[in-house]
Amino acid sequence: QVQLAESGGGSVEPGGSMSLSCAASGYTDSPRFMGWFRQTPGKEREGVAVIHIRTGQTRIADSVKGRFTISQGNGKNMVYLQMNSLKPEDSGMYYCASAGREWSGSWPPPADEYPYWGQGTQVTISS
């Protein structure tokens, strides 16, 4: 059974930095893509960053480009999201997700094309 577990959320002031981690386990076949999505109340889940596990190629949402970086661990069962220059509008629940062939490659990534999800970790940017 695939399990994704996020960690690293919390509260930070605007302009600060925060790093999120996602530990993946239970795959019989390695996922092709792992990504980070975020959601605020009343809004749809938004794709923030995705990484191709084999090639390391990444895609980043325009709203966070230049501030957020997605990376993976050497064992490829860990994915990270480094968030710098944080803004209040970056606040939300951040979810780690993974997909294989399910993701069409469209951008922004549709959440329903990612079959595996973590429980989420809250990120609050506030002074």
Side-chain angles (χ1 to χ4, degrees), residues 33-39 44-52 58-65 70 95-117:
F33 307 99
M34 292 191 70
W36 290 94
F37 291 71
R38 66 186 181 189
Q39 189 170 25
E44 291 188 356
R45 205 165 285 191
E46 170 195 23
V48 174
V50 173
I51 186 166
H52 190 292
T58 64
R59 290 198 71 173
I60 307 292
D62 287 345
S63 59
V64 303
K65 197 167 290 183
I70 186 171
Y95 298 90
C96 177
S98 70
R101 297 178 183 273
E102 299 90 349
W103 181 36
S104 62
S106 61
W107 194 266
D112 60 4
E113 292 184 4
Y114 277 68
Y116 302 110
W117 292 87

Side-chain angles (χ1 to χ4, degrees), residues 21-24 30 34 51-56 70-80:
S21 300
C22 174
S30 297
M34 292 191 70
I51 186 166
H52 190 292
I53 295 302
R54 182 177 60 82
T55 67
I70 186 171
S71 61
Q72 60 183 327
N74 288 336
K76 295 186 171 57
N77 65 342
M78 292 291 297
V79 174
Y80 307 97

